[in-house]
Amino acid sequence: MLNDDDFALFQEAIKGTKKIKQDTFVPKTEPRKKVSEIRQLKEQADTLFYFSDEYEPLLTEENEKVRYLREDIDPYILKQLRRGDFQPDLFLDLHGLTREQAKKELASLILACECEQVYCASIMTGFGTRTLKYQIPRWLVQHPKVIALHQAPREWGGDAAILILVEQPEAPNKR
């Protein structure tokens, strides 16, 4: 404890100084989310939002070859897809996955197509119980980025695969 002499000596030593105003803001820092966590949350949101099991779209099936074309797209694109004019840059193999796992993988594939600017991708459904082969096109047509899909030509997997075209954001005009 300070006695009166020490306190007086202290007062003399600090005479003429100004009191410091504490106005520095120190924000509370939260740990940053890793890119993989953010991506996983987006994929999960996409899966829940876009891929409903109850939705029954109007798909065209000709000789068991499933196909779909978004309304605002030129029909010639579908013919090109059927002929194999588009070469897939990403491949997704869904053999052995459950329905929930397949949904997550589809959301990941579409997100990867957007991020890496991939226009065409191949999804290998296989045959098996035909559950995924039947359900995958019904999920894909619900996603707004999927502009077309068609049973793959023989060189890209034939009846055991589906080719999809994913809408890409337009590049800003360079001046």
Side-chain angles (χ1 to χ4, degrees):
M1 189 158 218
L2 292 175
N3 61 29
D4 290 338
D5 289 337
D6 290 337
F7 188 69
L9 187 59
F10 175 72
Q11 289 287 343
E12 187 65 34
I14 64 165
K15 193 180 270 183
T17 60
K18 289 198 271 181
K19 187 174 182 178
I20 297 174
K21 180 181 174 188
Q22 174 60 28
D23 61 354
T24 305
F25 174 72
V26 180
K28 293 180 181 175
T29 56
E30 294 181 19
R32 288 185 156 189
K33 292 187 176 183
K34 295 179 182 174
V35 174
S36 61
E37 290 176 14
I38 294 169
R39 186 174 184 168
Q40 186 178 22
L41 290 174
K42 178 155 176 42
E43 290 167 3
Q44 191 173 31
D46 281 355
T47 301
L48 296 174
F49 181 75
Y50 295 120
F51 303 138
S52 167
D53 290 328
E54 285 82 35
Y55 179 72
E56 190 61 41
L58 183 60
L59 284 171
T60 308
E61 293 190 29
E62 183 179 294
N63 300 332
E64 287 195 34
K65 297 211 183 296
V66 67
R67 60 187 179 158
Y68 161 78
L69 182 68
R70 203 167 68 190
E71 292 175 2
D72 60 332
I73 304 299
D74 180 9
Y76 186 67
I77 295 272
L78 198 60
K79 184 176 183 178
Q80 288 177 304
L81 195 58
R82 177 184 53 82
R83 289 190 317 211
D85 291 352
F86 295 103
Q87 178 175 346
D89 292 319
L90 289 178
F91 294 84
L92 175 64
D93 188 353
L94 298 175
H95 288 94
L97 298 183
T98 65
R99 291 168 66 104
E100 290 306 310
Q101 290 169 330
K103 280 184 186 181
K104 288 178 184 174
E105 290 299 319
L106 285 175
S108 296
L109 175 70
I110 294 170
L111 184 62
C113 287
E114 285 181 83
C115 293
E116 298 178 26
Q117 297 180 338
V118 170
Y119 187 58
C120 183
S122 175
I123 302 165
M124 289 159 270
T125 60
F127 294 109
T129 62
R130 294 192 178 262
T131 303
L132 288 180
K133 182 173 174 48
Y134 174 80
Q135 192 61 47
I136 286 170
R138 283 146 182 82
W139 288 332
L140 288 170
V141 300
Q142 296 174 52
H143 201 289
K145 294 289 184 180
V146 175
I147 61 174
L149 65 86
H150 200 287
Q151 201 72 45
R154 182 171 287 147
E155 64 266 21
W156 301 119
D159 291 342
I162 297 171
L163 289 184
I164 64 168
L165 297 180
V166 179
E167 181 178 40
Q168 297 300 311
E170 291 184 23
N173 292 339
K174 293 182 181 177
R175 293 184 181 193

